[in-house]
Each structure stands twice: as structure tokens, then as C-alpha cells.
Amino acid sequence: MKILVLNVGSSSLKFQLVDTDQTAIDANSDRRLASGQIERIGGEAILTLGVGSAPPSHTTAQIRNHAEAVERVIAWMAGADSGVDIAAPSDIEAVGHRVVHGGEQFTRSTLVTATVRSDLERLIDLAPLHNPHNLLGIAAAREVLGENVPQVAVFDTAFHQTIPETAHLYAIPYQLYRRYRVRRYGFHGTSHRYIAYRYRQLTGKTREQTRIITLHLGNGASACAIVDGHSVDTSMGFTPLEGLVMGTRSGDIDPAIIDYVGAKEGLSSREMDMMLNKQSGLLGLSGLTADMRELLAEADENGDRRARLAIDIFCYRVRKYLGAYLAAMNGADAIVFAGGIGENSPAVRERICEGMDWLGIQIDAGRNIGLTGGAEGRFDRDGGRVELWTIPTDEELLIARDTWRIVSGNAPPP
Ligand code: ADP
């Protein structure tokens, strides 16, 4: 089944066309027919379009809105000279959407019906920065492909709906949860779920045999404690702001800072929110960049003190969460690294694992160095108690799989 996977943001659209129809996830047996993105929708947009695994082409074009962007992608794929293995838009049999917030209602991926669409409208209140764009993507795909092509919503929050009350409630007046559903939702759920599934597949273990910590370390970053295949805690909270240090997000801070700094700097709560989301994290600490690769180069080549500090604080925060989850889960069988940083930076992985020998976390430097550029593998020392893995995440594949399962009436997603 040829499935279009869409991840729609405020001014961008990422897409993949995946041919999939198997029960087990196997990254090697699915065919990725096309992938790419359109950035700066609403003006002179940048189009990155790739066929199969060939290097993508870059062009620019006026693209006014999301519907036009979806139309453009589909017209390109179905065009005679694109080289993509579809002859007409009608060859696209289903669409899978990344939807950021599913609230408490959506605990698994769901076929988009009129009722689901209005439920998603209601959830905009919880995710005003993300869900409206996801809904635009759904409307655009419907407009271009017609009402009969099924669409499936795959939620970032759904995987974390198994987190128990003790870990998902904040210690604020309980009526705020009752009235407004203020609680930990967690995000990156599709990524953590994929990593956990792939770990079980690579090790031949069942759900019940696994107690693992997954670390998605990219521009956004989060940790997840997974027992028996279910999320039992995660570092992102009511919004993606909580938890680890990220590219531009602060992660955990004392909430009293917001009022204090707001008053001193004359910033509104909205401006403070922007500062914590867009100007903090690695960028705020270093004063240079949100990009970990650049920070590592700056620290190594020029000995920049604040670049080093930003990296140290990033790694320290991850270590604190590892310690917390090891305590919460009574130990772990494995720690799995993913995301742009987790998959590509042996230096950061080494720094995170430093000084945790007493917990049975022992890195094999040689194995660690060898794991970059999308490689899957294990890098703990022989005899260590906790397995260390790098498993590149693949949210699009899981979205395609869920879409296929739901549309073809196969078993519910794992
Ligand atoms: P997103 O969350 O936007 O999907 P990614 O998962 O692509 O982001 O991660 C982006 C981050 O990964 C950036 O900070 C980038 O510098 C970092 N990264 C990519 N390659 C490397 C590398 N070789 N070494 C260190 N960091 C890297």
C-alpha cells in the first residue's frame, strides 16, 4: 500500500511516500519511494524533493498555503519525469499524519473521521502552536486527494497515555487537572515507541522482557522510561518545554524565574514563553548556536568556554534523568540513544555515560566511535550490566505502518 506520510508545521511540510504492507516493522523491507520537505510556505518556498535514497534536488517556488504545498508534492510525485514509482495521484492509497497533541482522548492512532476532526479542533487549546497546522495538513490532503482516500492521525502524545498518575500529575491544586487537564502528556511518543519496538526486534526480546530508557536527542530532546513496552515516564510535560536541555528550549527551570525575569526585563508572559522556547537551551547558554555539531567543533577547535559549558549542561541533564529513571524503574536492561545527536555523536554519548560505572553503565570506546551516520548497534563493554545501543529513529515508518494497519483492518499497532 502506497502511503503518503505528512508532518505539517507552521510554515513547513515534511513528507515521505512509503510502500508498506507487512506485519513486522523492518526498516529494510519497506520501500521509501520519495521524501522531502517544503519550507517557508506563504512566500518564496524552498522545495527539497528526493526520489528513493538518491540525493534530493533543491528548487524554489511561490507557494501560498499548505493546500498548495500538498498539491505541489503530489503533482511532482505523479509527474511523468519525477522518477517516483506512482503514475497518478490516485495511486496514493492513504495518508498518515503526524499530529502533535491527542490530549487524554487519543491513546492510539486513529482514522480521521468528521468526529475526530472536530475533536482535534477542540484540542487546539492544548497545543496552539502545533495542532492547527496538523489540521491544515489533513484538510489539504482531503482537498487534493478527495474524501475517499483514508487519513490516519498518529499522535506524539498517544504512547505516553500509559504513564501512571504518580508520574503524570503535577503537585499543583488537583482541581487544575480536573478543570483544565493540566498534566504531563509527553511528546516524541512515535519516536520512543519506534525505538522500543526496534530494540525488541534487534534483541529478539518480548515486551515483558524489556525495561529500557530511550533518549531522543535532536533539536528537541526527551527521555522515556519504558516497562513491558509501555511508557511509564517521560521528560517532556504539559508542553515540550519541560525536561532535557534542547537546541533552543530550556528544559526544566524553577517556574519562579518566569515572574522574576519577566518583571526585571519588562517581558510579557508570552515573551517569556518565547524566550524559554526559542532563545534558551544550547543557544542561550552558548550565545552561539543551537546546533550541537557546531558547538562540539567550537569547543574542540577554539576551546570556547561557553560552548563547552552548554555541552556539559546538556549531558549533565541527561545523566540526571537517567539516574531518575533507573531509580523509578528499579534499574534498566538497556539505554538506547536516538535523534540527530544521539545517533551521530559518540562524544556526547560518552560524556552522558561518564561516571556511571557503579550503575553497571560501561561504555566501550571503540564500539561507540564506530556508531555514526545512521548505524544501528550496541556499544557497551563486555560484562556491563546495562546494554547501550544506538538505534536511529524512524517516525515516518511507524506512521506509515499504523496507517496501513488501520486502513487495511489489521491488528492494532504495537
Ligand atoms: P530534529 O529534532 O529537528 O529532527 P535532529 O534529530 O535532526 O533534529 O537533530 C539535530 C541535532 O543533531 C543538531 O543539534 C545537530 O547538530 C545534531 N547532529 C547532527 N549530526 C551530528 C554530529 N555528527 N555530531 C553531533 N551532533 C550532530
Side-chain angles (χ1 to χ4, degrees):
M1 182 182 285
K2 286 170 182 158
I3 294 167
L4 177 62
V5 177
L6 291 181
N7 179 357
V8 179
S10 58
S11 63
S12 71
L13 173 154
K14 291 187 188 145
F15 71 91
Q16 280 197 14
L17 184 68
V18 181
D19 193 0
T20 182
D21 55 7
Q22 295 175 42
T23 341
I25 287 180
D26 178 352
N28 301 320
S29 68
D30 294 279
R31 286 200 312 143
R32 215 163 302 243
L33 303 177
S35 62
Q37 58 182 349
I38 299 188
E39 295 161 283
R40 298 199 200 156
I41 296 171
E44 185 72 4
I46 305 167
L47 288 73
T48 307
L49 306 170
V51 182
S53 51
S57 68
H58 301 276
T59 48
T60 58
Q62 276 293 324
I63 294 189
R64 277 175 306 175
N65 52 42
H66 291 80
E68 241 179 69
V70 172
E71 201 171 348
R72 185 85 182 207
V73 164
I74 292 172
W76 166 72
M77 288 193 295
D81 50 5
S82 72
V84 180
D85 186 13
I86 56 167
S90 55
D91 287 354
I92 297 171
E93 290 160 275
V95 185
H97 294 269
R98 173 185 181 208
V99 178
V100 170
H101 218 307
E104 288 188 320
Q105 183 182 346
F106 293 104
T107 57
R108 55 178 56 216
S109 304
T110 306
L111 185 70
V112 178
T113 58
T115 320
V116 168
R117 275 201 305 275
S118 49
D119 291 343
L120 292 177
E121 297 273 356
R122 248 181 290 121
L123 285 170
I124 285 180
D125 189 38
L126 280 177
L129 296 181
H130 299 285
N131 275 32
H133 313 302
N134 304 152
L135 272 161
L136 276 179
I138 291 172
R142 211 157 151 252
E143 200 176 309
V144 178
L145 293 171
E147 289 188 18
N148 294 331
V149 174
Q151 304 202 42
V152 169
V154 179
F155 301 94
D156 266 24
T157 49
F159 181 61
H160 300 302
Q161 279 296 305
T162 48
I163 296 177
E165 257 179 349
T166 38
H168 81 230
L169 284 183
Y170 293 107
I172 56 176
Y174 188 77
Q175 60 267 32
L176 296 175
Y177 167 64
R178 272 224 208 96
R179 280 187 211 146
Y180 311 117
R181 298 288 155 208
V182 174
R183 52 162 287 178
R184 176 182 310 286
Y185 287 100
F187 298 87
H188 283 154
T190 311
S191 176
H192 291 295
R193 195 178 123 216
Y194 172 83
I195 302 163
Y197 185 88
R198 185 74 186 139
Y199 169 78
R200 294 199 295 275
Q201 199 176 41
L202 288 168
T203 55
K205 290 181 181 170
T206 62
R207 275 171 181 277
E208 291 68 33
Q209 290 167 328
T210 53
R211 219 172 13 150
I212 64 173
I213 300 172
T214 50
L215 298 171
H216 177 114
L217 308 177
N219 275 320
S222 68
C224 184
I226 302 174
V227 177
D228 295 348
H230 303 296
S231 171
V232 295
D233 205 351
T234 192
S235 57
M236 284 178 168
F238 179 64
T239 74
L241 186 54
E242 193 183 348
L244 305 180
V245 173
M246 309 181 212
T248 61
R249 293 192 194 117
S250 61
D252 297 336
I253 61 161
D254 179 343
I257 292 171
I258 298 171
D259 229 29
Y260 183 80
V261 173
K264 293 275 183 208
E265 296 268 308
L267 298 174
S268 66
S269 58
R270 182 182 287 251
E271 287 168 327
M272 280 302 296
D273 194 62
M274 278 292 285
M275 191 197 82
L276 295 173
N277 273 291
K278 301 276 183 207
Q279 293 156 15
S280 299
L282 295 175
L283 173 65
L285 283 167
S286 69
L288 286 174
T289 171
D291 194 291
M292 179 58 93
R293 195 172 7 189
E294 289 174 18
L295 284 176
L296 287 163
E298 201 55 45
D300 278 357
E301 290 158 23
N302 303 324
D304 188 277
R305 192 189 83 83
R306 277 175 50 193
R308 193 172 303 133
L309 188 64
I311 300 164
D312 286 347
I313 294 174
F314 177 93
C315 295
Y316 177 68
R317 184 80 54 87
V318 177
R319 266 216 310 276
K320 281 217 295 199
Y321 269 90
L322 283 178
Y325 289 166
L326 287 166
M329 299 161 75
N330 191 19
D333 309 316
I335 298 169
V336 189
F337 289 76
I341 301 171
E343 291 164 25
N344 293 302
S345 179
V348 171
R349 291 195 299 254
E350 186 167 348
R351 258 181 240 197
I352 289 171
C353 296
E354 229 167 50
M356 296 183 99
D357 302 41
W358 69 279
L359 284 167
I361 298 172
Q362 293 177 319
I363 202 164
D364 181 303
R367 289 175 187 159
N368 182 38
I369 289 279
L371 289 170
T372 53
E376 266 178 349
R378 196 171 155 177
F379 61 96
D380 50 300
R381 212 179 297 157
D382 295 336
R385 274 202 314 278
V386 181
E387 293 172 22
L388 299 170
W389 285 83
T390 296
I391 299 180
T393 192
D394 197 339
E395 291 159 279
E396 290 78 12
L397 183 64
L398 204 50
I399 293 173
R401 289 286 186 182
D402 276 12
T403 304
W404 172 74
R405 279 167 193 274
I406 287 168
V407 170
S408 63
N410 276 277

